[in-house]
Amino acid sequence: VIRDLVRRLERRRAIRRRRPTAYPDPHVKWIRRATRGEIHYSLDHLLDRAVMELPTGDPVLEIGSLCGLSTNLIAYLLRKHGRPNAFFTTDPWTFEEETGDSVPGSAIPIADYRDLIRRQFETNVRFWNADRLPHSFALPSDEFFVAWREGCEATDVFGRAARLGGPLAFCFVDGAHAAENVRRDFENVHAHLVRGGLVLFDDSDPYGRHPHIYGVVEDALGRGYELLADYPGHLIRKVDG
Ligand SMILES: C[S@@+](CC[C@H](N)C(=O)[O-])C[C@H]1O[C@@H](n2cnc3c(N)ncnc32)[C@H](O)[C@@H]1O
């Protein structure tokens, strides 16, 4: 217990020393001001690095979009760095914190809340990316990968047809946080990821709220992935396989 406490304190100190910094781009500031989100502002550096280091022109995938903050940032960075990769996103807009049929403390149906978030996503993404909309799907990631494996033609939430399937160049993992979900997301991504492909895990601080996500990162590092960055998320690259 004491050793664990000491490690936690050291880790916290190390994080403080790193001094989180905002990504120095005014456009990102404007996107962030307009879009409610659940990613740390320092993560923008890792999103930027992932886009800069995309190994191929294969598709990019985001698991977990909420109101579209990370979606808009990734889409912007793809434009900024002149990367032509198709961009797919998936989110069923159902929330781990749900406890019943209504929003806690109210009679508002939970279905209406889900619908509100999804409409915010659509509005935000259309506003910032009208000329290059991602292919977004309202699916849990497991179902998205079933469709991806089958190579289906599907209609996205913006009403556009898209052919699914094939290799992936980068995946941002920020969907359901339970250990089994994150592990399955990683395995599904791994199965499609090109050599040199990248995975960015949010919420993966070993001493944060979801230490099991760091466990998935550690396993990947033992299976032919290299670590590119470890704060405020973990960015890894597939070296073998
Ligand atoms: C932490 S939020 C994502 C935050 C977002 N990336 C941002 O930039 O603000 C997690 C999201 O995962 C979604 N989610 C829940 N279960 C999921 C699943 N099985 N597959 C994909 N997404 C899921 C939730 O609807 C929620 O929008």
Side-chain angles (χ1 to χ4, degrees):
V1 173
I2 289 177
R3 199 179 308 140
D4 192 47
L5 194 66
V6 170
R7 276 168 59 199
R8 273 171 193 271
L9 286 171
E10 280 171 357
R11 169 89 188 158
R12 210 171 290 158
R13 260 189 228 126
I15 286 173
R16 284 220 185 101
R17 273 200 298 273
R18 279 186 227 196
R19 293 181 197 285
T21 49
Y23 179 73
D25 179 329
H27 190 76
V28 164
K29 221 185 231 175
W30 282 75
I31 292 176
R32 278 193 163 271
R33 186 186 289 137
T35 317
R36 147 107 183 95
E38 293 190 353
I39 53 169
H40 192 278
Y41 62 88
S42 264
L43 196 79
D44 302 354
H45 292 279
L46 302 194
L47 291 171
D48 180 75
R49 181 156 179 203
V51 171
M52 292 263 280
E53 297 197 19
L54 285 171
T56 62
D58 293 305
V60 167
L61 172 64
E62 171 185 81
I63 300 173
S65 309
L66 197 64
C67 301
L69 177 57
S70 50
T71 318
N72 281 327
L73 292 172
I74 293 169
Y76 168 62
L77 292 166
L78 287 167
R79 278 203 313 279
K80 176 175 175 174
H81 295 303
R83 306 306 302 240
N85 306 55
F87 182 25
F88 289 81
T89 74
T90 198
D91 190 322
W93 289 290
T94 57
F95 305 99
E96 292 162 295
E97 298 82 359
E98 290 179 16
T99 53
D101 293 339
S102 58
V103 174
S106 77
I108 299 168
I110 199 73
D112 290 1
Y113 180 89
R114 293 175 183 161
D115 192 49
L116 170 73
I117 303 285
R118 176 173 166 169
R119 279 186 284 117
Q120 286 186 15
F121 170 87
E122 291 180 19
T123 302
N124 290 334
V125 172
R126 278 186 196 281
F127 182 88
W128 294 100
N129 295 292
D131 55 338
R132 190 174 161 183
L133 286 171
H135 285 299
S136 298
F137 292 89
L139 294 173
S141 50
D142 290 332
E143 287 179 34
F144 176 84
F145 279 109
V146 169
W148 192 264
R149 273 191 294 276
E150 286 172 358
C152 304
E153 174 145 326
T155 303
D156 66 23
V157 301
F158 301 111
R160 295 169 319 139
R163 167 72 56 193
L164 308 189
L168 294 170
F170 166 47
C171 181
F172 176 47
V173 179
D174 194 19
H177 290 77
E180 60 274 18
N181 289 87
V182 180
R183 201 163 285 283
R184 276 202 308 276
D185 284 346
F186 173 68
E187 292 301 337
N188 282 322
V189 173
H190 174 68
H192 299 282
L193 198 66
V194 295
R195 187 178 297 217
L198 302 151
V199 188
L200 174 58
F201 293 89
D202 195 26
D203 299 311
S204 50
D205 183 337
Y207 298 105
R209 279 175 55 211
H210 308 283
H212 53 269
I213 298 182
Y214 180 64
V216 178
V217 174
E218 273 190 314
D219 289 353
L221 296 178
R223 285 173 52 190
Y225 282 75
E226 67 174 340
L227 183 65
L228 299 186
D230 67 354
Y231 177 78
H234 286 82
L235 178 63
I236 60 174
R237 173 159 46 212
K238 191 184 209 178
V239 182
D240 294 326

